[in-house]
Amino acid sequence: MRFIIFAILLAFPFLEIAILIELSQRYGWWVLAYLLIIGYLGLQLIRSEKDLIAARMFQQLGAGGNPISAMFSTARNMFAGVLLLIPGVISDVIAVVLLLIPSNGPTSGKASNQANFDYRASANDEAIEGEYTEVNETKSNDKVVRLPGKD
């Protein structure tokens, strides 16, 4: 079993290089443009995931979920970003497959309007007292402007 994993890991770079050489012979400089664009997208994916990890964890905690699932989702997306940075077509296909796997949202598969929220009364159950005055303003229906003091 170890030998099979070692052979796959050893053959992976050679297979990537062979595919890139074949594609560059067919399409020329477009392959270089593809690699640069995909590398840039992978870098942007890593940066955005780095910025969003805390927000995802707090969202999971607020919804009563487990923040570990948010960490795994972020780790999966960051790994996909690293695979996009690696020049090669096979690594890009693996990254796209990783990005297409749906992740469980903060509501754990429930619809957001059906989430199970527990209502708890506030610690201070006292009534707030106050005074009010009812103001009854009646406006006349005629369009005549009346000056104050001249009735």
Side-chain angles (χ1 to χ4, degrees):
M1 184 67 183
R2 288 185 196 172
F3 179 73
I4 294 172
I5 294 174
F6 180 71
I8 290 172
L9 289 176
L10 190 61
F12 182 75
F14 292 113
L15 190 59
E16 288 275 21
I17 291 171
I19 291 174
L20 284 177
I21 289 172
E22 178 66 30
L23 287 176
S24 64
Q25 287 176 352
R26 287 187 184 184
Y27 301 109
W29 290 99
W30 289 107
V31 176
L32 180 63
Y34 164 76
L35 292 176
L36 289 175
I37 291 171
I38 293 297
Y40 177 74
L41 291 175
L43 184 64
Q44 291 301 320
L45 179 64
I46 292 171
R47 286 181 181 167
S48 68
E49 288 298 320
K50 182 185 69 150
D51 293 339
L52 291 177
I53 185 163
R56 284 186 181 156
M57 288 179 60
F58 285 127
Q59 186 178 17
Q60 283 281 3
L61 284 172
N66 190 358
I68 300 296
S69 63
M71 287 177 47
F72 281 132
S73 174
T74 300
R76 184 188 67 215
N77 290 346
M78 287 186 114
F79 183 65
V82 169
L83 286 175
L84 288 174
L85 278 175
I86 296 173
V89 177
I90 299 172
S91 61
D92 295 342
V93 169
I94 295 171
V96 168
V97 168
L98 282 175
L99 289 173
L100 290 178
I101 295 173
S103 64
N104 291 339
T107 57
S108 309
K110 298 178 185 176
S112 61
N113 59 356
Q114 297 175 351
N116 187 13
F117 292 109
D118 294 327
Y119 173 75
R120 295 181 195 147
S122 64
N124 187 0
D125 287 335
E126 297 177 10
I128 299 174
E129 295 183 17
E131 295 179 9
Y132 71 94
T133 305
E134 187 173 329
V135 177
N136 190 4
E137 289 186 26
T138 57
K139 295 184 179 179
S140 61
N141 289 337
D142 58 351
K143 307 257 185 215
V144 177
V145 177
R146 305 205 191 288
L147 297 174
K150 298 221 176 192
D151 285 339

